[in-house]
């Protein structure tokens, strides 16, 4: 039984919780939060605020790149006039931003 003696001589594995082993993972999580999650949440809040403030007469651009003036503003849909007499309906979330008034006239 020479092998058993060597096993007992090695001693038991260290037990307990070592915070230092988890410190790198904690630091990575905190960096991930501040560099990726927080800015995305802030951008999302700003976009939601912009969408809620859209009203009739605003000029907007959609995700597809369509510029138009808001003719009707419903709760979920907007009617955009993209040319004289041409109107389209889009969902509010499809709007990516407002543009300065007069942008459509300059095109």
């Amino acid at each position: 039984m020479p092998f058993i003696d060597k096993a007992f001589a090695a001693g038991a594995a260290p037990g307990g919780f070592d915070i230092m082993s988890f410190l790198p993972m904690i630091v990575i999580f905190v960096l991930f939060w501040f560099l990726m999650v927080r800015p995305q949440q802030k951008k999302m809040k700003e976009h939601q605020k912009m969408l809620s403030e859209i009203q009739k007469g605003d000029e907007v651009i959609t995700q597809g790149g369509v510029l138009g003036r808001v003719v009707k503003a419903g709760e979920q849909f907007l009617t955009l006039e993209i040319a004289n007499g041409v109107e389209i309906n889009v969902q509010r979330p499809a709007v990516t931003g407002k543009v300065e008034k007069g942008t459509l006239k300059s095109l």
Side-chain angles (χ1 to χ4, degrees), residues 27-92:
V27 169
I28 289 172
F29 177 76
V30 169
L31 284 174
F32 179 78
W33 178 264
F34 280 103
L35 295 177
M36 305 244 337
V37 175
R38 276 192 69 219
Q40 186 64 28
Q41 286 179 340
K42 183 178 178 183
K43 185 177 179 182
M44 194 169 61
K45 283 181 184 179
E46 290 173 357
H47 187 252
Q48 290 295 328
K49 182 181 176 194
M50 183 269 306
L51 289 178
S52 67
E53 293 175 349
I54 292 177
Q55 55 189 341
K56 184 178 175 180
D58 288 340
E59 295 180 7
V60 296
I61 187 166
T62 66
Q63 291 174 350
V66 177
L67 287 168
R69 181 177 296 110
V70 178
V71 178
K72 294 179 190 172
E75 192 170 315
Q76 294 183 2
F77 291 93
L78 300 171
T79 302
L80 302 180
E81 182 180 33
I82 57 175
N84 289 334
V86 180
E87 295 180 354
I88 60 172
N89 292 325
V90 296
Q91 290 182 326
R92 272 189 187 260

